[in-house]
Every structure is written in C-alpha cells, then in structure tokens.
C-alpha cells in the first residue's frame, strides 16, 4: 500500500452498480472496517448498456449509503487506477463470488498492479446468501414481475418500481 498515514486510508470500490444491490452494500460495509473512507465509484464498462444513467446510479448509491458517513459515491471515466491516484486511494476493493469472478478479477488485478504498483487490490468474499445476486439478474426478476425487494436497498426498490410503473403505463 502507499504510505498514507494511518487514520486516512481510502479505498475505491469500482463497479457498474446498475443498480447497487444488497450484495454490493455488504461489501461497502465490510470495506469500512478496513479503510477510513470508501468511495463507491461508478465506472464505464466497455460493453454494458446502462439501465440507469451514470448520474442516476451515483444518486442511488448515495441514497443507499446515507447511513454510512465514511462512504461516498462518485463516478469516473477512464482507468480505475487513475481515479484511485486522483483520489489519494491506496486500494481497490472488489467483491468475489464463486461463479466465474476469479479469472477475470485475477487478470484485472494483475493489470492494475502493473499499471499502478502502489495500488493494492483487496478481494472480499461475498456472503453465501449474496453470492448469486447480480444487477442484471435483479433487473430480469423485476422485469418479469418477480419479487426483488430483498435483494436491493430501499431507494433502488423505489426507483425500479417507479420505472417499471411508468413503462407499464406508457
Ligand atoms: N454483490 C452483488 N453483485 C455483485 C457483487 C456483489 N458483491 N460483486 C459483483 N457483482 C455483480 C455486479 O452487479 C455485476 O453484475 P452485472 O454483470 O449483472 O451487471 C457483475 O457482478 C460484475 O460487475 P462489476 O463489479 O460492477 O464490474 P464490471 O465488470 O461491470 O466492471 C468497471 C465495471 C467499471 C469496474 C470496469 O469496467 C472498469 O473499471 N472500467 C474502467 C476501465 C478500467 O480501469 N478497466 C480495468 C483495466 S485493467
């Protein structure tokens, strides 16, 4: 890690967060036990089409982490390691689930280390009952009228219900 003084350690938790789920929230809460500040940062995936706009996702994260005073939301363009350097962060947080995350995460972690050797990648293993959750799965359940409330923070549930309602009415 970089030589940040103890008491000021910042980590960036990057992702698409389209939308943030309870699985993501659990990772933020656990990362706050390791770091003084966690920035939950919406990045741009090269191929994913957005369901919520980037600014909507940032606002939904902000509302979902309002109870966590040492966490904040942001968005970034370009490489996540460059954003980490800009923010004075010493680590990238990634949640790890058993279904196929490892190879991709390993490759990304190695590339990030090669580009920015002072930034560490910290993997947190997702809780067993959150390991199957993903943003697209939740969007799919919601689209087909299934009950998805338990998988998402309340502000996301409300935003998705209002979007589904406005689609149904149009
Ligand atoms: N709980 C629930 N779901 C989780 C999760 C958890 N703990 N951890 C990951 N997921 C899900 C996400 O919801 C997402 O699901 P989806 O595919 O249905 O949308 C999936 O796992 C992976 O998503 P995420 O962690 O958001 O990563 P991503 O592959 O969408 O990458 C960026 C997004 C923004 C981090 C990445 O594209 C990026 O940083 N781009 C910038 C350029 C860069 O630096 N690239 C790396 C170069 S080495």
């Amino acid at each position: 890690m970089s030589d940040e003084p103890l008491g000021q350690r910042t980590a960036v938790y990057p992702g698409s967060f389209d939308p943030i789920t309870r699985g993501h929230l659990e990772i933020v809460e656990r990362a706050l036990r390791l770091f003084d500040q966690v920035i939950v940062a919406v990045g741009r995936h090269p191929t994913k089409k957005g369901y919520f706009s980037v600014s909507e996702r940032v606002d939904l994260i902000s509302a979902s982490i309002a109870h966590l005073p040492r966490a904040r939301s942001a968005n970034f363009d370009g490489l996540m390691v460059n954003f980490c350097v800009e923010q004075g962060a010493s680590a990238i947080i990634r949640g790890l689930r058993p279904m196929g995350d490892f190879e991709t995460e390993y490759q990304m972690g190695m590339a990030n280390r090669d580009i920015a050797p002072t930034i560490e990648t910290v993997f947190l293993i997702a809780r067993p009952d959150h390991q199957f959750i993903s943003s697209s799965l939740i969007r799919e359940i919601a689209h087909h009228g299934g009950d998805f409330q338990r998988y998402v923070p309340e502000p996301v549930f409300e935003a998705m219900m209002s979007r589904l309602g406005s689609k149904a009415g149009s």
Side-chain angles (χ1 to χ4, degrees):
M1 293 207 194
S2 71
D3 294 329
E4 279 176 307
L6 284 174
Q8 295 176 35
R9 292 233 185 255
T10 299
V12 168
Y13 179 28
S16 297
F17 301 112
D18 192 22
I20 186 169
T21 68
R22 285 195 192 273
H24 293 127
L25 206 53
E26 182 225 341
I27 299 289
V28 180
E29 287 167 354
R30 284 166 51 201
L32 282 167
R33 295 192 206 129
L34 302 173
F35 293 89
D36 301 296
Q37 194 195 177
V38 173
I39 305 170
V40 186
V42 178
R44 289 184 197 275
H45 188 278
T47 57
K48 285 183 185 173
K49 256 182 71 194
Y51 177 74
F52 286 109
S53 71
V54 170
S55 71
E56 284 172 325
R57 288 182 237 168
V58 170
D59 289 348
L60 286 172
I61 294 168
S62 182
S64 305
I65 60 174
H67 61 296
L68 303 169
R70 292 184 289 114
R72 66 182 169 88
S73 61
N75 68 288
F76 66 97
D77 286 308
L79 292 176
M80 61 172 93
V81 284
N82 290 348
F83 179 71
C84 289
V85 171
E86 274 164 38
Q87 299 296 316
S90 56
I92 292 168
I93 303 288
R94 296 290 288 169
L96 210 53
R97 297 160 308 154
M99 288 157 282
D101 276 349
F102 184 73
E103 284 77 11
T104 327
E105 292 299 336
Y106 188 83
Q107 187 184 26
M108 195 156 73
M110 294 286 276
N112 283 335
R113 186 190 175 92
D114 204 53
I115 302 166
T118 58
I119 312 281
E120 291 289 346
T121 301
V122 175
F123 293 112
L124 295 179
I125 295 175
R127 221 170 69 181
D129 55 329
H130 285 159
Q131 290 189 347
F132 66 95
I133 304 179
S134 77
S135 302
S136 53
L137 192 80
I138 287 166
R139 293 198 308 268
E140 192 179 335
I141 296 170
H143 176 74
H144 293 292
D147 178 10
F148 63 98
Q149 187 165 13
R150 65 184 174 283
Y151 305 130
V152 292
E154 197 52 31
V156 172
F157 179 69
E158 283 164 19
M160 288 185 72
M161 288 306 281
S162 110
R163 178 170 288 215
L164 290 165
S166 65
K167 278 212 176 119
S170 64

